[in-house]
Amino acid sequence: MIEPIRIYIGTSANNEDADSEMVLEYTLRKNATLPLDIHWMRQSRDESSIWGGWQTQRWSTPFSGFRWAIPEACGFTGRAIYMDEDMLNLRDIAELYSIDLQGKPLAARRGARFGGHEFCVIVMDCEQLGGLLQPVARMKKNPDAHHRYISMFTGNDQYVTEMDPRWNCHDGDGRAIEDIWHLHFTEMSTQPWKPSWYTGEVREHPRQDLVKLWHDTRAEAVINGYKPNLHNDTFGAYNIIGR
């Protein structure tokens, strides 16, 4: 039996990003050559849930710190991929899942936002990370845990092997669409959908070809039977102006 690729996606709690979730899932499954096991990480009112009871006041998205809970969610076995929800996949994610980690616990692209690596797409060795991360029960109580791990891992080649930046292509990175593997609409103010939790400035995206790609892909997903995955376990109001 083929083990599915485990993908954990950070998203908002109250259906604000339902269209974006739909487009991302459709493209992941459309391009994948292996089965996918997709988990949506969203804040929950249920404090017994792995996604409930977190101190999130220092997070810059509604899901920032959840990525560090993935190894425990996987029982500290095997690999998993983390990604933000504001993405669109254009290449078989199995290729990323099988990346050579070179004996390190993480793979991520290099970039400047976090001081060395960009942790919005990560390949994780869950067993190795088990020896580096606090138990989730402790992380939940520590509002600084997310930033602690960003500081610990970013720019640290002891822990992170370099990922091809096309797997986390920020708003196109000046590349032609055919040279993008996994597109990240990382600038919140220009995202094609407009989540209500973002309260900052709204602007036009500088790459209208990428906006058209997103809308065309959304239409394609609907034609193929996909629809926004609305849920009832909403969390409550929150407002964020940027990462």
Side-chain angles (χ1 to χ4, degrees), residues 4 9 12 31 41 55 106 123 151 183:
I9 304 174
S12 56
N31 295 311
M41 302 187 299
Q55 297 295 313
L106 300 166
V123 181
S151 296
L183 175 61

Side-chain angles (χ1 to χ4, degrees):
M1 179 178 177
I2 298 175
E3 289 291 326
I5 295 171
R6 298 183 294 194
I7 301 177
Y8 285 78
I9 304 174
T11 190
S12 56
N14 303 322
N15 299 315
E16 299 98 331
D17 293 302
D19 272 5
S20 177
E21 294 174 20
M22 176 184 71
V23 171
L24 176 56
E25 180 169 1
Y26 170 67
T27 57
L28 284 166
R29 296 193 186 279
K30 173 187 175 181
N31 295 311
T33 57
L34 294 174
L36 306 181
D37 182 15
I38 295 176
H39 301 263
W40 300 99
M41 302 187 299
R42 60 180 98 248
Q43 293 183 51
S44 171
R45 292 182 183 275
D46 179 4
E47 295 198 6
S48 67
S49 164
I50 196 168
W51 316 123
W54 290 72
Q55 297 295 313
T56 65
Q57 56 264 42
R58 293 202 60 213
W59 293 7
S60 53
T61 71
F63 50 83
S64 296
F66 286 161
R67 69 200 75 192
W68 310 115
I70 293 171
E72 187 167 326
C74 292
F76 301 111
T77 62
R79 289 188 175 194
I81 293 175
Y82 166 79
M83 63 181 66
D84 297 347
E85 55 74 27
D86 49 359
M87 298 184 173
L88 186 154
N89 177 260
L90 296 166
R91 190 179 178 99
D92 183 4
I93 202 69
E95 296 180 26
L96 177 61
Y97 195 65
S98 62
I99 189 174
D100 181 2
L101 287 173
Q102 301 174 13
K104 301 173 187 178
L106 300 166
R109 69 163 283 178
R110 291 200 176 273
R113 287 192 308 155
F114 298 113
H117 291 95
E118 304 281 346
F119 292 116
C120 28
V121 176
I122 314 171
V123 181
M124 296 179 159
D125 182 315
C126 297
E127 182 177 0
Q128 286 199 63
L129 285 169
L132 298 170
L133 302 174
Q134 291 178 330
V136 167
R138 289 181 60 191
M139 282 192 221
K140 286 185 178 187
K141 298 176 182 178
N142 182 359
D144 294 311
H146 171 56
H147 297 286
R148 170 186 173 181
Y149 292 124
I150 291 288
S151 296
M152 175 179 174
F153 293 128
T154 192
N156 191 332
D157 293 333
Q158 175 185 352
Y159 294 127
V160 187
T161 193
E162 188 169 351
M163 176 192 296
D164 192 308
R166 287 174 289 185
W167 283 116
N168 183 7
C169 191
H170 292 183
D171 291 295
D173 281 337
R175 297 179 182 272
I177 289 175
E178 55 268 23
D179 195 35
I180 297 172
W181 298 352
H182 195 80
L183 175 61
H184 186 184
F185 288 98
T186 187
E187 178 56 60
M188 292 179 185
S189 65
T190 63
Q191 289 173 338
W193 63 101
K194 307 299 179 188
S196 60
W197 58 264
Y198 172 70
T199 59
E201 179 188 8
V202 175
R203 299 182 291 112
E204 288 294 316
H205 198 287
R207 290 279 302 270
Q208 286 300 300
D209 59 331
L210 301 183
V211 174
K212 182 178 186 300
L213 173 65
W214 189 88
H215 284 292
D216 288 350
T217 305
R218 185 193 184 283
E220 182 181 313
V222 171
I223 289 171
N224 281 278
Y226 281 71
K227 59 184 179 180
N229 181 25
L230 302 179
H231 60 95
N232 297 320
D233 181 26
T234 54
F235 181 76
Y238 45 73
N239 299 109
I240 293 171
I241 62 172
R243 281 190 177 84

